[in-house]
Amino acid sequence: MKLDYSALSVDPACLEADTDPHAVKILGGYSSDLGLAFATQVQQKGPSDKYAVAALSTFIERQGLSALVIQTDNEPAIRSFVRTGEQRVKIDISLRASPGIGISAALGAGETIQDIVAGGVRTFIEEIKENTGYEAQPKDNIMPWLVRLVPWYRNRYKQSPDGSTADSPCNGHADHGQVCTVGETVFVKIPAGEKRKFKSNWRNGCWLGKQ
């Protein structure tokens, strides 16, 4: 598995994320054996970001591996991050230094998980704006969710020539569940504890994906 930190610009006008003061920091990865992609927003590099550690640990656990080799750029922050995650997943993780600088979790043909996430997040932002009139901002609470949602869709619905998906080996079958378009208006059922007499049990909501 290849793993790398990067900056994600949601502003198409910024050709380089490093020049965008509002760029979102992400940790992106790609498992070449299964074709699984991973991405999560991080507040800071290193093991102190518990949200990111938990996200990577869940991603690794779902693969059902007994051992894993992670290739990184050998940055101390990412090495300590992986070691913290190793304690959670209870499997043997070996670290291997990348032969070059800035591996960016390459998927082949020059495509990277960072490219995919950046394009996907921008698409989601446009869909939300088109459906609700609201333009999501980098500091919004939904941004970490949108970052993780991009590889979620790719892993479950992008089919290989034989019709399988990257997530098929993890589930034992392809995911045939139907989902709404991100930003689509949907009916949301109110939890039992929030129901009020003579009021509808449903309200309008904005679809932002599923876990």
Side-chain angles (χ1 to χ4, degrees):
M1 176 180 179
K2 296 180 180 179
L3 199 63
D4 194 18
Y5 283 116
S6 69
L8 181 159
S9 175
V10 297
D11 182 0
C14 291
L15 299 180
E16 296 292 338
D18 292 339
T19 65
D20 182 1
H22 305 295
V24 176
K25 297 181 179 66
I26 70 167
L27 177 67
Y30 181 69
S31 175
S32 56
D33 290 340
L34 296 177
L36 286 168
F38 163 82
T40 186
Q41 183 176 352
V42 300
Q43 297 301 316
Q44 55 189 353
K45 294 182 178 182
S48 60
D49 194 322
K50 305 303 182 184
Y51 174 86
V53 171
L56 180 63
S57 300
T58 300
F59 175 76
I60 293 174
E61 287 174 337
R62 290 196 70 251
Q63 299 180 52
L65 305 173
S66 59
L68 178 67
V69 176
I70 294 182
Q71 183 176 328
T72 75
D73 60 3
N74 217 24
E75 183 180 358
I78 201 167
R79 291 179 65 88
S80 58
F81 176 91
V82 170
R83 289 309 180 201
T84 300
E86 182 180 24
Q87 297 172 10
R88 289 177 60 108
V89 297
K90 301 294 191 294
I91 69 170
D92 182 30
I93 296 180
S94 301
L95 285 169
R96 179 183 301 166
S98 169
I101 298 176
I103 60 173
S104 298
L107 302 181
E111 186 180 40
T112 69
I113 184 60
Q114 282 79 6
D115 295 332
I116 292 171
V117 172
V121 168
R122 289 171 188 151
T123 299
F124 289 158
I125 289 175
E126 287 300 316
E127 290 177 341
I128 293 172
K129 183 179 179 180
E130 181 178 345
N131 284 284
T132 69
Y134 177 75
E135 185 171 4
Q137 301 299 316
K139 292 186 178 180
D140 284 348
N141 290 334
I142 65 171
M143 190 56 64
W145 179 249
L146 296 182
V147 170
R148 292 183 66 176
L149 195 57
V150 175
W152 186 92
Y153 271 102
R154 177 187 174 87
N155 293 338
R156 284 163 177 77
Y157 298 109
K158 181 178 176 59
Q159 295 186 343
S160 62
D162 64 0
S164 65
T165 64
D167 207 49
S168 297
C170 297
N171 296 329
H173 56 81
D175 192 333
H176 299 294
Q178 295 183 344
V179 293
C180 299
T181 301
V182 173
E184 184 175 346
T185 299
V186 295
F187 282 120
V188 179
K189 191 172 185 179
I190 301 172
E194 298 180 18
K195 291 182 180 178
R196 295 182 180 179
K197 290 183 178 180
F198 310 114
K199 296 289 186 179
S200 172
N201 294 336
W202 300 84
R203 66 177 60 156
N204 288 340
C206 178
W207 175 266
L208 292 175
K210 58 185 289 188
Q211 182 66 36

